[in-house]
Amino acid sequence: MQRACSFVAAVAMSSSGWCAAQQPCGQWLDLTHEIPGVGGQVYQMTMWDRDGAGPEQPWLVVVGSFELAGDEDATQVAAWDGTRWRGLAKSDPRSTNRCVYAVGTYQNQLIIGGLIDTWDNQFAMNVVSYDGTKWTPLLDGPRGAVRSIREFNGKLVVGGEFTEIHDFWNRAPALHVASWDGTSWSAMGSSVVGWVTQMVDFQGVLYAGGSSLSRWNGSAWESIGAGFNTIYALTLHGGELIVGGRLAAAMAGSDPSPNLIRFDGTSWRPLGCAKPVVSAGSLGGALLFNDNDKGMWQWKDGVVSAVTPGREGSALSFQTIGDSLYMGGLFTTVNGVGVLNVARYDGVGWHTLGRGFNAGIGSMTTWNGKLVVGGDFTHAGDFSVGHVAVLDNGVWKPLGAGIPGQSGPYVSDVEAIGSTLYVGGSFPKAGTVASPNVGRWNGTSWQALGPGLGTAVQAGAVVNSSYYAGSNIAFQGSAGV
């Protein structure tokens, strides 16, 4: 929210006059709409059951190029607990190479992979584990990007673009796939043909796909099939292996649309898709898949039909949890529903994950180490917050009664001086106290700033521990703090 103004009068101050959110790819993210989700592209997702057979519910974990998940600081790793987003990682200022591409689990621990040189202020070698409390790099690992993670036969298996595993002193060949036994890394066979982005366990056999399709026979990799160009999706459905991507006609016989095929362990059969398939997942009796032109489809009972008329952006990952299918990628709408890069499908319709503000945010600042926002909004999710809210342990909360009024009042500036928060905008009261257009919150109650200001505050700043409020008047005077 921007409002035209000419800067003028003084009242009292804060440390941060503006705030904005930026996606890692250099695109600005509009935060003025109530669109829940994560603030950037989702590459992969997985279900993480932190306590195994314990009573806690599994979390949906997503990784990608984002810095926020819902209201949480969540640098490239976030979890949806069924109610709200949780940030599992924060930015590491020492990192010069940090991109998380893959996520999986191993012995109830969360595993992430990518191009990672430091994580949580620790040196890393592209693979890191998380036990729910602390992050631990799995050192001496792959020397190159990790794109896929899978637990198989009691070991952690990773695939990607690497050709070696190594520590500071020693290197060993590991062409595109390596395994971790809980103590050390080792190569897995001599070679997989081409780089690996997908792995799946089908009929007790590990399949790896990327620039080709291979399977592990227990001692070596075997190349299977023919005519693969690029594989983007490997999943299981109806007891069969599903392969999607840019596939050649030879793979599916005479079918002219061979970009989605199925394998029963012996023979290949086409499912058909005229456009390259970028992701696929299974929900109940339906196989759902996305093409590279915003279309989402389902194959059920031998019939292909459209699930949605389209989406704004790309879908890269699926994860089934219970009776829901979660989709992640880079998109803002699915079937007309406003979402932000992650959505849930229940077999009937699409749903958002979490909720944001019901109207625009005009100003942000840091107060007592917490984020405070002001704007036109009156609610954060289902909570009434009265045009100003503080993010406390991942939850938006009101400051007392806030700035009352449903329509008309707004907060255009929030600033902090020490433990005192100052707000400016267009309103007659701060809480229950008459305080025209300016007010302050001392941590427990709202207070007036003298007689207030006679016209709406459009902007503010802090100079030498004084709060300056700008309006379209010639001069309003100042009030000491």
Side-chain angles (χ1 to χ4, degrees), residues 37-56:
V38 299
Q41 189 165 359
V42 174
Y43 296 139
Q44 287 189 14
M45 56 178 67
T46 194
M47 183 179 71
W48 179 35
D49 194 352
R50 297 164 297 148
D51 62 344
E56 295 185 0

mmCIF file of all heavy atoms in Angstrom, residues 37-56:
data_model
loop_
_atom_site.group_PDB
_atom_site.id
_atom_site.type_symbol
_atom_site.label_atom_id
_atom_site.label_comp_id
_atom_site.label_asym_id
_atom_site.label_seq_id
_atom_site.Cartn_x
_atom_site.Cartn_y
_atom_site.Cartn_z
ATOM 1 N N GLY A 37 0.748 -19.756 1.898
ATOM 2 C CA GLY A 37 1.691 -20.670 1.259
ATOM 3 C C GLY A 37 3.110 -20.271 1.557
ATOM 4 O O GLY A 37 3.424 -19.738 2.622
ATOM 5 N N VAL A 38 4.024 -20.537 0.612
ATOM 6 C CA VAL A 38 5.425 -20.184 0.770
ATOM 7 C C VAL A 38 5.819 -19.175 -0.297
ATOM 8 O O VAL A 38 5.286 -19.184 -1.397
ATOM 9 C CB VAL A 38 6.341 -21.430 0.705
ATOM 10 C CG1 VAL A 38 6.004 -22.395 1.822
ATOM 11 C CG2 VAL A 38 6.219 -22.145 -0.633
ATOM 12 N N GLY A 39 6.778 -18.322 0.050
ATOM 13 C CA GLY A 39 7.111 -17.184 -0.797
ATOM 14 C C GLY A 39 8.152 -17.467 -1.849
ATOM 15 O O GLY A 39 9.049 -16.649 -2.057
ATOM 16 N N GLY A 40 8.080 -18.569 -2.533
ATOM 17 C CA GLY A 40 9.020 -18.886 -3.596
ATOM 18 C C GLY A 40 8.778 -20.286 -4.123
ATOM 19 O O GLY A 40 7.861 -20.991 -3.687
ATOM 20 N N GLN A 41 9.596 -20.709 -5.058
ATOM 21 C CA GLN A 41 9.376 -21.983 -5.733
ATOM 22 C C GLN A 41 9.640 -23.180 -4.821
ATOM 23 O O GLN A 41 10.613 -23.215 -4.080
ATOM 24 C CB GLN A 41 10.286 -22.070 -6.962
ATOM 25 C CG GLN A 41 10.008 -23.250 -7.862
ATOM 26 C CD GLN A 41 10.660 -23.093 -9.212
ATOM 27 O OE1 GLN A 41 11.309 -22.094 -9.484
ATOM 28 N NE2 GLN A 41 10.497 -24.069 -10.067
ATOM 29 N N VAL A 42 8.757 -24.162 -4.881
ATOM 30 C CA VAL A 42 8.915 -25.423 -4.158
ATOM 31 C C VAL A 42 9.453 -26.466 -5.122
ATOM 32 O O VAL A 42 8.853 -26.736 -6.162
ATOM 33 C CB VAL A 42 7.580 -25.905 -3.559
ATOM 34 C CG1 VAL A 42 7.728 -27.288 -2.939
ATOM 35 C CG2 VAL A 42 7.085 -24.907 -2.511
ATOM 36 N N TYR A 43 10.602 -27.077 -4.780
ATOM 37 C CA TYR A 43 11.209 -28.086 -5.640
ATOM 38 C C TYR A 43 10.735 -29.499 -5.309
ATOM 39 O O TYR A 43 10.389 -30.274 -6.192
ATOM 40 C CB TYR A 43 12.734 -28.041 -5.524
ATOM 41 C CG TYR A 43 13.363 -26.768 -6.003
ATOM 42 C CD1 TYR A 43 14.418 -26.180 -5.311
ATOM 43 C CD2 TYR A 43 12.900 -26.121 -7.137
ATOM 44 C CE1 TYR A 43 15.008 -25.010 -5.743
ATOM 45 C CE2 TYR A 43 13.484 -24.938 -7.576
ATOM 46 C CZ TYR A 43 14.534 -24.387 -6.873
ATOM 47 O OH TYR A 43 15.108 -23.223 -7.305
ATOM 48 N N GLN A 44 10.737 -29.849 -4.034
ATOM 49 C CA GLN A 44 10.327 -31.183 -3.614
ATOM 50 C C GLN A 44 9.628 -31.096 -2.266
ATOM 51 O O GLN A 44 9.752 -30.108 -1.540
ATOM 52 C CB GLN A 44 11.529 -32.134 -3.504
ATOM 53 C CG GLN A 44 12.106 -32.582 -4.832
ATOM 54 C CD GLN A 44 13.147 -33.673 -4.668
ATOM 55 O OE1 GLN A 44 13.284 -34.295 -3.610
ATOM 56 N NE2 GLN A 44 13.909 -33.905 -5.724
ATOM 57 N N MET A 45 8.895 -32.172 -1.945
ATOM 58 C CA MET A 45 8.245 -32.269 -0.639
ATOM 59 C C MET A 45 8.232 -33.720 -0.202
ATOM 60 O O MET A 45 8.351 -34.643 -1.011
ATOM 61 C CB MET A 45 6.834 -31.695 -0.693
ATOM 62 C CG MET A 45 5.935 -32.307 -1.743
ATOM 63 S SD MET A 45 4.255 -31.609 -1.723
ATOM 64 C CE MET A 45 4.576 -29.943 -2.240
ATOM 65 N N THR A 46 8.099 -33.912 1.105
ATOM 66 C CA THR A 46 8.036 -35.261 1.659
ATOM 67 C C THR A 46 7.228 -35.241 2.941
ATOM 68 O O THR A 46 7.006 -34.177 3.538
ATOM 69 C CB THR A 46 9.446 -35.824 1.927
ATOM 70 O OG1 THR A 46 9.376 -37.229 2.152
ATOM 71 C CG2 THR A 46 10.080 -35.163 3.150
ATOM 72 N N MET A 47 6.799 -36.407 3.381
ATOM 73 C CA MET A 47 6.137 -36.542 4.670
ATOM 74 C C MET A 47 7.183 -36.970 5.693
ATOM 75 O O MET A 47 7.932 -37.930 5.452
ATOM 76 C CB MET A 47 5.024 -37.584 4.594
ATOM 77 C CG MET A 47 4.246 -37.723 5.889
ATOM 78 S SD MET A 47 2.907 -38.940 5.779
ATOM 79 C CE MET A 47 3.847 -40.465 5.704
ATOM 80 N N TRP A 48 7.240 -36.276 6.829
ATOM 81 C CA TRP A 48 8.226 -36.571 7.871
ATOM 82 C C TRP A 48 7.497 -36.915 9.157
ATOM 83 O O TRP A 48 6.840 -36.064 9.764
ATOM 84 C CB TRP A 48 9.153 -35.378 8.077
ATOM 85 C CG TRP A 48 10.192 -35.572 9.130
ATOM 86 C CD1 TRP A 48 10.851 -36.726 9.434
ATOM 87 C CD2 TRP A 48 10.704 -34.579 10.029
ATOM 88 N NE1 TRP A 48 11.748 -36.521 10.461
ATOM 89 C CE2 TRP A 48 11.677 -35.207 10.837
ATOM 90 C CE3 TRP A 48 10.450 -33.218 10.208
ATOM 91 C CZ2 TRP A 48 12.376 -34.517 11.822
ATOM 92 C CZ3 TRP A 48 11.146 -32.534 11.178
ATOM 93 C CH2 TRP A 48 12.102 -33.176 11.975
ATOM 94 N N ASP A 49 7.602 -38.154 9.571
ATOM 95 C CA ASP A 49 7.019 -38.607 10.837
ATOM 96 C C ASP A 49 8.125 -38.590 11.887
ATOM 97 O O ASP A 49 8.898 -39.540 12.026
ATOM 98 C CB ASP A 49 6.446 -40.009 10.672
ATOM 99 C CG ASP A 49 5.539 -40.400 11.829
ATOM 100 O OD1 ASP A 49 5.492 -39.641 12.817
ATOM 101 O OD2 ASP A 49 4.881 -41.448 11.735
ATOM 102 N N ARG A 50 8.208 -37.509 12.629
ATOM 103 C CA ARG A 50 9.360 -37.240 13.493
ATOM 104 C C ARG A 50 9.532 -38.268 14.606
ATOM 105 O O ARG A 50 10.655 -38.584 14.996
ATOM 106 C CB ARG A 50 9.225 -35.843 14.110
ATOM 107 C CG ARG A 50 9.236 -34.713 13.086
ATOM 108 C CD ARG A 50 8.722 -33.439 13.709
ATOM 109 N NE ARG A 50 7.344 -33.587 14.125
ATOM 110 C CZ ARG A 50 6.810 -32.977 15.173
ATOM 111 N NH1 ARG A 50 7.559 -32.211 15.939
ATOM 112 N NH2 ARG A 50 5.536 -33.159 15.487
ATOM 113 N N ASP A 51 8.425 -38.780 15.155
ATOM 114 C CA ASP A 51 8.549 -39.700 16.285
ATOM 115 C C ASP A 51 8.183 -41.133 15.907
ATOM 116 O O ASP A 51 7.901 -41.955 16.785
ATOM 117 C CB ASP A 51 7.701 -39.227 17.467
ATOM 118 C CG ASP A 51 6.218 -39.190 17.149
ATOM 119 O OD1 ASP A 51 5.880 -39.238 15.947
ATOM 120 O OD2 ASP A 51 5.401 -39.127 18.081
ATOM 121 N N GLY A 52 8.221 -41.461 14.617
ATOM 122 C CA GLY A 52 7.959 -42.827 14.192
ATOM 123 C C GLY A 52 6.585 -43.307 14.614
ATOM 124 O O GLY A 52 5.570 -42.758 14.194
ATOM 125 N N ALA A 53 6.530 -44.310 15.474
ATOM 126 C CA ALA A 53 5.253 -44.867 15.934
ATOM 127 C C ALA A 53 4.639 -44.063 17.068
ATOM 128 O O ALA A 53 3.615 -44.456 17.628
ATOM 129 C CB ALA A 53 5.458 -46.313 16.369
ATOM 130 N N GLY A 54 5.249 -42.933 17.426
ATOM 131 C CA GLY A 54 4.740 -42.108 18.512
ATOM 132 C C GLY A 54 3.447 -41.400 18.150
ATOM 133 O O GLY A 54 2.922 -41.535 17.044
ATOM 134 N N PRO A 55 2.922 -40.591 19.082
ATOM 135 C CA PRO A 55 1.593 -39.994 18.896
ATOM 136 C C PRO A 55 1.560 -38.769 17.991
ATOM 137 O O PRO A 55 0.483 -38.353 17.576
ATOM 138 C CB PRO A 55 1.208 -39.604 20.332
ATOM 139 C CG PRO A 55 2.522 -39.321 21.004
ATOM 140 C CD PRO A 55 3.493 -40.306 20.406
ATOM 141 N N GLU A 56 2.705 -38.162 17.675
ATOM 142 C CA GLU A 56 2.701 -36.929 16.896
ATOM 143 C C GLU A 56 2.318 -37.185 15.446
ATOM 144 O O GLU A 56 2.672 -38.208 14.863
ATOM 145 C CB GLU A 56 4.072 -36.253 16.971
ATOM 146 C CG GLU A 56 4.448 -35.784 18.359
ATOM 147 C CD GLU A 56 5.755 -35.011 18.368
ATOM 148 O OE1 GLU A 56 6.351 -34.863 17.284
ATOM 149 O OE2 GLU A 56 6.173 -34.572 19.440
#
